[in-house]
Amino acid sequence: MNISTSFKGKSIHTINGSGRISIPSRFREALKSKYGDEELILVPLGSHIVAYPIQEWIKLEKIWELNPPKDTNGKKFLRYLYSTAEEVLIDKLGRILIPPLLRQSINLQDECVVTGQMNKIELWPKEKWEDEYKEINVRGIFETVSSQFPELNL
């Protein structure tokens, strides 16, 4: 069996009453294989939460330390990221606890779509994911991005 070292695919999960959600086993395997642990940093970004493996978050921090934002908006954005970031561990049952403030910030209740995005995981309220997905005009998107991804032969 080949173990993937990147996150890809999507799953739909239900959040339990205490705010726990299952992380797909293929994502947990990628975390263990590539990063050697199951610690994540959760950050709400508008309509969804991004879950960074701790090592990926550290890479971002190094970039920000070497090249701090120079404008007010960039500084405010980093302040927002750090003030909302939460460290979580995947428990023995393969779940993470999403703190109430993060769930509230994106209105995450009941069903959640968990998607892989190369080196990070995204958690979307199911309704917002469906809205986002509906907005994509597949033909238009493919035509627009085909020059950016010549290796895909779109």
Side-chain angles (χ1 to χ4, degrees), residues 24-108:
S25 61
R26 67 185 178 279
F27 292 174
R28 295 191 318 266
E29 289 170 7
L31 274 167
K32 287 179 192 173
S33 170
K34 186 172 183 178
Y35 303 104
D37 67 24
E38 293 186 320
E39 187 175 1
L40 298 166
I41 300 288
L42 303 181
V43 180
L45 292 178
S47 55
H48 62 286
I49 293 170
V50 178
Y52 291 96
I54 193 74
Q55 291 88 343
E56 295 295 340
W57 181 260
I58 289 169
K59 288 179 191 176
L60 292 172
E61 286 186 333
K62 287 179 182 176
I63 292 168
W64 298 327
E65 285 177 18
L66 293 172
N67 301 302
K70 310 223 182 320
D71 69 335
T72 303
N73 286 336
K75 291 175 184 177
K76 286 181 180 181
F77 182 70
L78 276 187
R79 185 175 298 117
Y80 168 79
L81 281 182
Y82 276 90
S83 69
T84 59
E86 294 280 347
E87 290 184 43
V88 298
L89 284 171
I90 298 176
D91 68 17
K92 292 178 184 177
L93 298 176
R95 305 170 306 174
I96 59 170
L97 173 63
I98 302 174
L101 286 176
L102 274 94
R103 292 194 314 265
Q104 291 168 4
S105 72
I106 66 163
N107 196 27
L108 185 58

Side-chain angles (χ1 to χ4, degrees), residues 105-117:
S105 72
I106 66 163
N107 196 27
L108 185 58
Q109 307 168 14
D110 304 322
E111 288 188 304
C112 177
V113 177
V114 181
T115 67
Q117 296 293 316

Side-chain angles (χ1 to χ4, degrees), residues 116-133:
Q117 296 293 316
M118 288 190 280
N119 66 343
K120 61 187 180 281
I121 300 166
E122 294 181 346
L123 309 167
W124 290 77
K126 188 177 179 200
E127 320 77 57
K128 288 183 183 179
W129 172 260
E130 288 172 350
D131 290 345
E132 179 83 7
Y133 200 73

